[in-house]
Structure formats: C-alpha cells, structure tokens
Amino acid sequence: MPHYNNRRPAVRKDKGCRYFPATSIVVADFEFKRDRARHGAYVDANGSSACKSLRWPFKQIVCGSWLTLEFTPGAEQPRISHFESRCRPDYDEMAIAEHFFAELDNHPHAVLITWGGECSDVPVLRRIAHQHGLILPYQLQRSRPRRADRIDLCNEIEYSSRVHLSEYAAAQDIPAKPVPGKEVNRLVEQRDWAAVEEQCTADVLTTAIIAVRHFAAIEMIGQTGAACTEAILDRFCARPETGFIAKLRKWREALKD
C-alpha cells in the first residue's frame, strides 16, 4: 500500500499554495447520448463527403458531475465546497450545462480539471452554449486551454499518448468506473439513469484523486496527496450504499493501515 510524503510534514506551511495559480479547482465529468438521428441525416445529406464516425458534435449530455475543492495555505485538507450531479430524466443537456456554468461562474478563479475533456466534454459544452445562447464561463471561453483556466490531466501527466482514466487508476490500485466504460452507452440506451449518474460521479472521484496527488507531487498545493485523497473519499463515501461505495469504503480503510 502506498504511503505519501513520509519524509515531509503533513502540511508544508513554508510553501503553502503559492505555486498554485488558483485557490480552488473544479473537477468535472459528463456522460453522453449519441444523436444517431441527426448524424444519420447529416450523412445522408452529404454522401461520400460526410464523416461516417459519430463525433462530438452529435453527442448530447445526459449527466454531469462536478466537485469543487478549495486549498487554503496551512490547512491539512482541502475544503470540498460543492459536489453535485445533474442527470436525466430530471435535467436536459441545457439545464445540466446551465448548472455547471453557474458553478464555474461562482468560482471564476478556479481551474477546471478533466480527464480527456478537451476531446469531448469541453467542445460539447461550447456547442451547447452556441446552440442555446448561453454565456460561457471564463474557464471555457478559450479554445486552447491555459494553465490558469483549465487542465486536461490526460495531457498534463503524459502528453504523447491517450491513457485511459481507468488504466492509469488501475496502475495505482485506485477504484474506478463501476462498469466498464463501453457499457455506458448501453446504460444510456436503457435509461438506467442511476447507474449513469454513479459512473459519472465515479469518474469525478477518480480524476480528483489523481489531480490532487499530481498537484501535491509537483508542489502546486500545500496539502499532501494522502490528506487530499482522504477528504475526497470521505465526501464520496457519504453517498447512499451501492456495491461501488462499499468497495470505496474498503479501500479507504486499507489506506489507513
């Protein structure tokens, strides 16, 4: 079992968070439904000129989850100020985007953190804003991210390859994804929204743990990876009991040994 920063104090008060460009981060993930009808109409209209693969313009958000962490110099753990999900059937994609944009607007100096978000999540959110006349929050206004507004961890950690979130998590024994990623399309088609929501929040959990460990390792925050991991797990394990939550609680106890 890994142990973090054994040779250093739990909080590096001499450094605090002075290297971090913001005092907070918003970790987000989204799940999608493929709009096959519109894509099919596009292919029929454009014939051999059309892209036969269904790409991000034809993806519709069916669930979004986000977690906001605030890092205070001298504090042992980050403060989790917000953790929520918005999902079908109660919210359509515009409502999900509006709630997410509101959270980013409430934290204009926070860094938006995703895993692979530049390939799908971010452009889809921008498409929704264009389609429905929404104002994009600061973190989404630039096509190319800057470190002060958003970070795609998949590129941040290793730029040359597209490592899967579950792949990187498995290498560190971090529980991830209640069901395999390719199963999500089936859950969406079956309208199993509870399972879709848990998958989405689980991706946020895993991304957040990897993010805080990475930032601790490069001294962008004053808290340790272990302390941040504990805070995130405590908040997530407060959710209603499921098989995945039971697995997380077991892992949390193992980390304390």
Side-chain angles (χ1 to χ4, degrees):
M1 197 63 59
H3 297 279
Y4 298 96
N5 294 334
N6 290 334
R7 295 172 296 173
R8 301 190 183 187
V11 182
R12 297 187 291 280
K13 296 182 180 180
D14 59 321
K15 294 182 178 179
C17 297
R18 68 185 184 189
Y19 297 116
F20 201 45
T23 58
S24 59
I25 63 174
V26 177
V27 184
D29 185 71
F30 299 87
E31 301 295 344
F32 305 95
K33 176 182 179 181
R34 302 185 179 201
D35 192 339
R36 301 186 188 280
R38 286 185 180 176
H39 179 257
Y42 150 75
V43 171
D44 290 344
N46 289 272
S48 60
S49 299
C51 176
K52 301 303 189 291
S53 299
L54 192 154
R55 298 193 288 187
W56 65 261
F58 295 99
K59 290 183 177 181
Q60 297 179 340
I61 293 178
V62 296
C63 184
S65 299
W66 48 91
L67 176 73
T68 302
L69 296 99
E70 300 177 355
F71 300 90
T72 302
E76 183 176 352
Q77 292 184 335
R79 173 176 174 263
I80 298 176
S81 62
H82 204 77
F83 178 30
E84 72 170 302
S85 298
R86 302 286 175 171
C87 188
R88 292 275 191 174
D90 299 321
Y91 301 91
D92 61 17
E93 71 166 5
M94 185 176 74
I96 294 169
E98 284 182 315
H99 280 91
F100 179 59
F101 290 176
E103 179 64 11
L104 292 181
D105 286 338
N106 288 335
H107 297 84
H109 301 295
V111 182
L112 172 59
I113 307 295
T114 63
W115 186 281
E118 295 301 315
C119 297
S120 187
D121 298 11
V122 170
V124 170
L125 288 166
R126 293 167 67 86
R127 187 268 299 162
I128 294 170
H130 301 162
Q131 183 174 349
H132 298 288
L134 305 179
I135 302 298
L136 285 164
Y138 166 77
Q139 295 90 336
L140 295 171
Q141 290 183 358
R142 296 183 178 89
S143 295
R144 295 186 178 182
R146 298 179 182 177
R147 193 176 185 84
D149 49 37
R150 68 179 189 265
I151 294 174
D152 186 332
L153 275 181
C154 187
N155 293 333
E156 172 81 0
I157 293 174
E158 209 286 296
Y159 191 79
S160 63
S161 63
R162 302 298 301 177
V163 172
H164 295 167
L165 176 62
S166 55
E167 179 183 6
Y168 193 69
Q172 302 182 58
D173 294 323
I174 300 173
K177 294 188 182 297
V179 300
K182 290 185 177 181
E183 292 291 311
V184 177
N185 288 333
R186 176 182 60 81
L187 296 175
V188 171
E189 294 298 328
Q190 293 176 349
R191 299 186 179 185
D192 189 347
W193 302 124
V196 171
E197 190 272 343
E198 183 172 57
Q199 185 84 351
C200 195
T201 56
D203 282 353
V204 169
L205 164 87
T206 306
T207 302
I209 290 174
I210 294 171
V212 295
R213 290 180 174 188
H214 175 62
F215 295 151
I218 63 175
E219 297 186 313
M220 288 178 65
I221 58 176
Q223 292 76 20
T224 66
C228 293
T229 299
E230 181 181 357
I232 295 167
L233 281 173
D234 286 347
R235 183 62 179 269
F236 199 94
C237 287
R239 288 168 56 89
E241 183 74 15
T242 65
F244 184 68
I245 294 296
K247 183 178 180 180
L248 280 180
R249 289 174 179 165
K250 184 177 179 180
W251 185 62
R252 180 179 59 176
E253 292 306 311
L255 289 177
K256 296 177 181 179
D257 293 340

